[in-house]
Amino acid sequence: SPSSGNYTVGNTFLLQVKANSGGVAVNAADGTVVFDPDKLEVVSISKTDSVFSLWVQEPAFSNSLGTITFAGGKPSPGFTGAAGVIVNIIFKARTAGTANLTFAAGSILADDGKGTNILSNLGGGTYTLSGRTVIPLPTAPPTYAPITTPGGVPAAPVVNSLTHSEEDKWYSNSNPEFSW
């Protein structure tokens, strides 16, 4: 989640692997997520707010292989719900194009004493990665005629303040306004 989105190259974004128990109490899940390492890079993976508290295989990733793996569980009575967070993944968009996330494998086991795999659908995602907008710089910087004194030395700016008019006085107003 989300299953789609638009992201800018160079920026990071959060994706969550979630489980829908279909109304059945579940006490374990595992999976292998596959992504294109040319398009995406995992910055971090965490178990924060996960419905699972026990980990047979700590969430791990390989940016060179483009994989994320995990295997976790929860003591009885397990988890029942439509959108239980399993892991949080921070991705960085590397190059422009379309990036797909798919599950190469996975299971969700019922808390029925038999470990019945109730998985009926492995989701995925498609993400549009767009290049950064580049604003061209002017070919030459604007030129300004400096104000000079009769000796050719640039004049110091004259600084004024309506809120702090005396430079040697202390003011309780911590939001000064200056002009020059």
Side-chain angles (χ1 to χ4, degrees):
S1 177
S3 60
S4 64
N6 297 307
Y7 304 102
T8 303
V9 171
N11 289 349
T12 60
F13 56 97
L14 169 69
L15 292 179
Q16 296 179 309
V17 175
K18 294 184 176 183
N20 180 344
S21 74
V24 176
V26 297
N27 65 354
D30 68 82
T32 300
V33 179
V34 178
F35 63 93
D36 181 350
D38 292 331
K39 300 278 185 222
L40 296 172
E41 172 185 340
V42 175
V43 175
S44 66
I45 189 166
S46 82
K47 303 175 291 187
T48 303
D49 299 325
S50 177
V51 296
F52 295 138
S53 56
L54 305 170
W55 294 91
V56 177
Q57 179 182 357
E58 288 288 325
F61 62 90
S62 168
N63 281 322
S64 60
L65 298 175
T67 59
I68 299 166
T69 55
F70 60 88
K74 177 181 175 109
S76 199
F79 163 77
T80 304
V85 174
I86 298 176
V87 294
N88 300 290
I89 307 161
I90 303 290
F91 277 104
K92 180 177 181 179
R94 295 187 64 191
T95 58
T98 300
N100 295 308
L101 262 66
T102 58
F103 275 87
S107 66
I108 298 179
L109 306 180
D111 186 17
D112 61 1
K114 301 174 194 169
T116 304
N117 187 358
I118 64 163
L119 182 65
S120 62
N121 178 15
L122 287 170
T126 302
Y127 309 95
T128 302
L129 311 177
S130 54
R132 293 179 184 243
T133 302
V134 177
I135 300 170
L137 296 174
T139 55
T143 57
Y144 299 100
I147 299 172
T148 59
T149 62
V153 177
V158 176
V159 179
N160 296 306
S161 175
L162 295 175
T163 60
H164 294 72
S165 59
E166 297 179 42
E167 68 181 57
D168 295 328
K169 184 177 177 185
W170 181 87
Y171 294 89
S172 62
N173 176 354
S174 61
N175 295 306
E177 293 182 25
F178 297 98
S179 63
W180 56 90

